[in-house]
Amino acid sequence: MANAVETHRVLVADAGYKAAITDLSGEFPNLDILGASDAADAAALASDKIVGLIADTAPIDENLLGKMSNLRAVLKLGRSYFNIDVDALRRRGTHFGCVPRKGPNCVAELALTLIMALSKDLIVGNEAVAVGAYRYRGIKPELTSQRKIAFHWMKNERVHEVTGKTLGIIGMGEIGCELARRASVMGMRNIYYKRKPLSAELEGIFDAGYRDLDDLLRESDYVCVATPHTAETEGMIGAGQIALMKESAYLVNIARGGIIDEDAMIAALSENRIAGAGLDVFAYEPLPPESPLCALDNVILCPHIGGGTGTNRVIELGAALQEMNRILTG
């Protein structure tokens, strides 16, 4: 007679994952997965039978943890564990880890791509090469060698390095945190604005310091908008905010078009009051071809591709369940 499969009870604390649990439960026969409808339901489902806990943004405090005396592991969906009482977990000796989410990773990749492309004036450079604009500078093609090249033949004045530049991130959620990690590797200095600052521990992990919004705008060489579009953030970057930016600064938006006053941004870009912009999102999408943005040479435009190849809760929860299964089964 075959031995029964040992099952491990896992609680998913966030309400939005119930449908994903249904889709995924068959893939993990040794996991008994419970999904909470809200914080009160998570507290009601918590018991000494729970050995694994997965959370996205649901609050995981000492009171909730105290209901699960046999809890062995807690996994956070995403790297920013602002909602987890990590001190309580450390006191208990409970295994704690983070599972990066695909969506924020994809958007952060695009944000950094736009920063790098702007720093190399990439669109203007590509066009100059493609149309042979060197002719207007009175030069002609010559055979190159290791020592003989036409270095920087178009002399693009906006080309620079990002090392040592300051990146200001507006909205330090999962996307902002993933961007900060990548920017640090490039040698950039990170500052951020958020309604509620991160803990000192998380600021250290993401190598970022808090600023209020006005100071962030004044200080940054690159300003990246990565906050949700809500009634509070509608038009939060308007003419007054853009006026605080350096003339040499760039604006990157990978969040939602309505967070920036598009007319004010166009005016600043047209008058070279800021150096340029990298935009994946717009007030109207697709971007109408008559938009002045389409005629500016200091702007890089993308067709809202920040989400990469796409993701959903099934993909992201599936990755967490796979990791939890590895932990619980040794």
Side-chain angles (χ1 to χ4, degrees):
M1 181 176 178
N3 293 329
V5 176
E6 181 184 7
T7 60
H8 307 279
R9 184 163 292 180
V10 174
L11 174 61
V12 180
D14 291 80
Y17 288 90
K18 282 210 160 186
I21 291 170
T22 300
D23 291 341
L24 289 164
S25 58
E27 297 183 22
F28 302 93
N30 58 324
L31 297 182
D32 177 17
I33 310 166
L34 306 182
S37 299
D38 52 32
D41 192 32
L45 291 170
S47 72
D48 59 5
K49 294 182 180 179
I50 302 293
V51 294
L53 177 64
I54 295 174
D56 182 3
T57 60
I60 307 301
D61 56 21
E62 191 159 20
N63 182 57
L64 181 66
L65 293 170
K67 298 176 181 292
M68 296 175 281
S69 57
N70 292 312
L71 188 65
R72 292 169 51 193
V74 175
L75 291 180
K76 168 70 172 68
L77 285 161
R79 295 186 204 268
S80 182
Y81 48 88
F82 62 91
N83 55 314
I84 309 288
D85 187 340
V86 291
D87 290 334
L89 289 175
R90 288 167 182 154
R91 286 193 297 271
R92 294 164 57 102
T94 304
H95 179 94
F96 175 61
C98 296
V99 182
R101 292 175 53 210
K102 183 174 184 288
N105 285 352
C106 293
V107 183
E109 283 184 9
L110 177 63
L112 187 59
T113 298
L114 289 169
I115 290 169
M116 297 303 297
L118 288 165
S119 76
K120 301 300 175 275
D121 204 13
L122 203 60
I123 300 300
V124 170
N126 176 80
E127 183 177 0
V129 173
V131 303
Y134 62 85
R135 292 171 293 182
Y136 303 119
R137 301 194 64 248
I139 57 178
K140 62 181 181 179
E142 295 184 23
L143 184 65
T144 65
S145 67
Q146 175 63 24
R147 298 291 184 182
K148 183 180 179 182
I149 57 172
F151 174 70
H152 210 332
W153 74 72
M154 288 308 300
K155 306 298 181 188
N156 306 57
E157 294 182 358
R158 289 195 288 256
V159 172
H160 62 275
E161 291 75 45
V162 299
T163 299
K165 299 295 185 183
T166 296
L167 170 62
I169 303 171
I170 299 174
M172 196 67 167
E174 293 293 346
I175 293 170
C177 290
E178 291 291 352
L179 174 58
R181 293 178 68 250
R182 289 159 172 77
S184 291
V185 173
M186 301 302 299
M188 300 187 80
R189 170 176 168 261
N190 299 316
I191 58 177
Y192 74 96
Y193 168 73
K194 193 176 188 289
R195 283 179 302 175
K196 183 179 179 182
L198 299 174
S199 67
E201 178 172 314
L202 285 174
E203 286 188 347
I205 287 173
F206 298 116
D207 193 21
Y210 176 81
R211 299 289 189 279
D212 66 28
L213 181 58
D214 286 358
D215 284 344
L216 179 146
L217 292 166
R218 292 188 187 99
E219 199 172 330
S220 299
D221 299 298
Y222 286 86
V223 173
C224 182
V225 178
T227 190
H229 186 182
T230 65
E232 184 179 354
T233 62
E234 171 74 29
M236 74 179 294
I237 306 300
Q241 288 72 36
I242 293 172
L244 297 175
M245 295 173 62
K246 304 175 185 179
E247 286 189 5
S248 58
Y250 294 82
L251 185 58
V252 173
N253 190 3
I254 42 74
R256 292 292 184 270
I259 299 169
I260 297 177
D261 181 332
E262 209 163 86
D263 291 337
M265 177 179 64
I266 289 169
L269 289 165
S270 300
E271 297 163 12
N272 292 311
R273 286 189 277 113
I274 58 174
L279 307 171
D280 187 43
V281 293
F282 309 93
Y284 287 87
E285 296 181 359
L287 180 68
E290 62 271 17
S291 168
L293 289 169
C294 298
L296 295 174
D297 69 358
N298 57 348
V299 179
I300 298 177
L301 307 172
C302 294
H304 203 142
I305 56 173
T309 55
T311 189
N312 55 46
R313 291 180 186 270
V314 172
I315 292 173
E316 295 187 337
L317 180 59
L321 288 170
Q322 186 175 29
E323 182 66 17
M324 181 64 77
N325 193 41
R326 281 197 289 263
I327 294 168
L328 297 178
T329 58

